[in-house]
């Protein structure tokens, strides 16, 4: 098995969670939706988590999972029956996503291309895997550059960890058995540059990104309020605009402005794999944490 990227401290002992094990459950999460406060150690290329303080813990973050998490839905009897169909030589992988905030208090989201084999056509913040020899922030900033073409000048930004999301793909058992299992660490990176200054330097990678947009607090609040598993958003802000401006990539490498209905961003995760454009469940969680940070 490859080196563990996510390590848990359980009863004072380090444990590498297996692919089929729910990290939230191992850390003592109950049947509710969470989030659950989790002690974290941000190591080079690795994340250490515990439900209590431990030497090396540097912060305490909310840990959340979707209500339809397949690793919770599968009971132990089902796991034994499906053992041959689930990965046995892998643990839980680590991902980092960058919530890039401009000085105008807007955040960048990108839409994954339809041709990607994992999570196609989803709106997410830039992010991906971190190499074993990388600091978690450095890996996130590298992914930001690889996906959007943005390199942030040293001294022109600050950052803070926002929260953790337990992610599976496919996201629902009704789509099929999970093939990927990650803990996503969301990092808020606050730039001193304006949205206009940042957008002028964006050069998205067309193999990964098909569009991008900047969300302000009002629309972000509506998106964060949509609760996966229901069809009706809760606590919607008043007077939402009917559409939001996005930048759609063209075949020649350019980008054209496109007004996208806000209703597209309010869609929830369907029960079947329909490939509908929407905001990922984890991104909704991260947007909610971003809004909490703005109100502090």
């Amino acid at each position: 098995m490859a080196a563990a990227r996510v390590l848990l401290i359980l009863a004072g002992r380090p444990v590498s969670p297996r692919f089929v094990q729910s990290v939230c459950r191992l850390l003592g999460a109950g049947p509710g939706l969470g989030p659950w406060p989790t002690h974290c150690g941000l190591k080079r290329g690795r994340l250490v988590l515990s439900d209590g303080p431990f030497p090396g813990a540097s912060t305490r973050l909310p840990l959340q999972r979707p209500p339809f998490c397949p690793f919770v839905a599968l009971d132990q009897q089902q796991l034994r029956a499906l053992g041959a169909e689930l990965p046995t030589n892998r643990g839980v992988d680590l991902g980092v996503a960058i919530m890039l905030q401009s000085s105008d208090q807007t955040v960048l989201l990108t839409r994954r291309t339809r041709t990607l084999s994992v999570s196609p056509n989803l709106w997410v913040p830039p992010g991906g895997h971190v190499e074993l020899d990388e600091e978690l922030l450095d890996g996130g900033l590298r992914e930001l550059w690889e996906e959007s073409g943005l390199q942030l000048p040293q001294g022109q930004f600050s950052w803070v960890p926002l929260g953790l999301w337990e992610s599976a793909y496919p996201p629902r058992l009704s789509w099929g058995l999970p093939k990927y299992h990650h803990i996503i660490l969301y990092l808020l990176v606050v730039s001193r540059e304006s949205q206009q200054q940042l957008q002028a330097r964006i050069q998205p990678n067309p193999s990964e990104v098909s569009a991008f947009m900047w969300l302000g607090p009002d629309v972000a609040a509506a998106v964060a309020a949509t609760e996966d598993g229901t069809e009706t958003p809760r606590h919607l802000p008043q007077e939402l605009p009917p559409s939001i401006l996005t930048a759609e990539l063209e075949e020649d490498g350019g980008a054209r402005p496109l007004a996208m209905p806000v209703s597209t961003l309010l869609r929830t995760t369907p029960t079947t794999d329909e490939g509908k454009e929407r905001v990922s469940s984890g991104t909704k969680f991260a947007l909610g944490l971003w809004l909490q940070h703005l109100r502090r």
Side-chain angles (χ1 to χ4, degrees):
M1 183 182 292
R5 312 304 299 277
V6 175
L7 193 67
L8 308 184
I9 305 295
L10 303 178
R13 299 178 59 185
V15 175
S16 299
R18 293 183 290 116
F19 179 88
V20 297
Q21 292 179 300
S22 165
V23 171
C24 288
R25 178 178 284 171
L26 287 172
L27 290 173
L33 296 179
W36 298 275
T38 303
H39 295 265
C40 310
L42 309 180
K43 308 294 184 182
R44 182 180 292 270
R46 176 180 290 185
L47 187 65
V48 184
L49 306 176
S50 177
D51 60 353
F54 63 92
S58 56
T59 188
R60 196 180 186 205
L61 297 175
L63 170 65
Q64 179 70 291
R65 67 187 179 207
F68 43 79
C69 176
F71 298 106
V72 175
L74 286 169
D75 61 32
Q76 292 303 308
Q77 185 175 355
Q78 288 174 306
L79 288 174
R80 285 192 292 270
L82 297 169
E85 302 177 52
L86 291 167
T88 57
N89 60 344
R90 295 201 342 243
V92 178
D93 290 320
L94 170 63
V96 174
I98 297 293
M99 300 289 289
L100 176 62
Q101 176 187 315
S102 70
S103 62
D104 309 298
Q105 294 193 340
T106 57
V107 289
L108 176 67
L109 294 185
T110 60
R111 188 180 66 199
R112 293 170 60 83
T113 64
R114 290 180 177 273
T115 56
L116 291 172
S117 60
V118 178
S119 303
N121 215 27
L122 282 188
W123 285 96
V124 295
H129 287 89
V130 177
E131 302 299 330
L132 274 172
D133 61 346
E134 281 185 314
E135 298 290 348
L136 301 186
L137 175 63
D138 293 341
L141 293 177
R142 173 184 51 75
E143 288 286 346
L144 173 68
W145 172 69
E146 290 178 357
E147 292 183 24
S148 70
L150 278 175
Q151 285 186 299
L152 303 182
Q154 289 292 330
Q156 294 299 306
F157 66 90
S158 59
W159 71 281
V160 63
L162 278 181
L164 303 159
W165 180 258
E166 184 164 19
S167 169
Y169 190 83
R172 287 182 180 269
L173 281 180
S174 56
W175 292 29
L177 292 175
K179 299 177 182 177
Y180 299 92
H181 188 183
H182 289 81
I183 293 294
I184 307 297
L185 170 65
Y186 288 98
L187 300 178
L188 173 62
V189 173
V190 181
S191 173
R192 295 181 183 176
E193 296 180 274
S194 68
Q195 175 182 315
Q196 184 177 15
Q197 290 173 309
L198 292 167
Q199 178 141 333
R201 302 206 313 275
I202 290 181
Q203 294 181 318
N205 179 352
S207 67
E208 296 189 40
V209 173
S210 60
F212 64 91
M213 65 178 169
W214 296 87
L215 277 188
D218 287 346
V219 176
V223 175
T226 56
E227 187 174 18
D228 271 309
T230 69
E231 292 299 324
T232 305
R234 48 177 167 72
H235 311 310
L236 282 182
Q238 298 296 315
E239 299 181 5
L240 279 177
S243 62
I244 186 170
L245 189 64
T246 69
E248 188 103 1
L249 268 63
E250 298 184 309
E251 292 184 1
D252 62 3
R256 64 183 178 93
L258 181 68
M260 183 180 66
V262 168
S263 60
T264 300
L265 303 180
L266 305 182
R267 290 172 177 161
T268 58
T269 303
T271 54
T272 58
D273 185 3
E274 302 170 6
K276 281 187 176 180
E277 181 180 4
R278 56 188 172 82
V279 177
S280 77
S281 304
T283 301
K284 295 175 185 179
F285 167 67
L287 288 171
L289 296 177
W290 172 60
L291 293 169
Q292 292 176 25
H293 184 84
L294 282 183
R295 291 192 290 266
R296 291 174 185 168

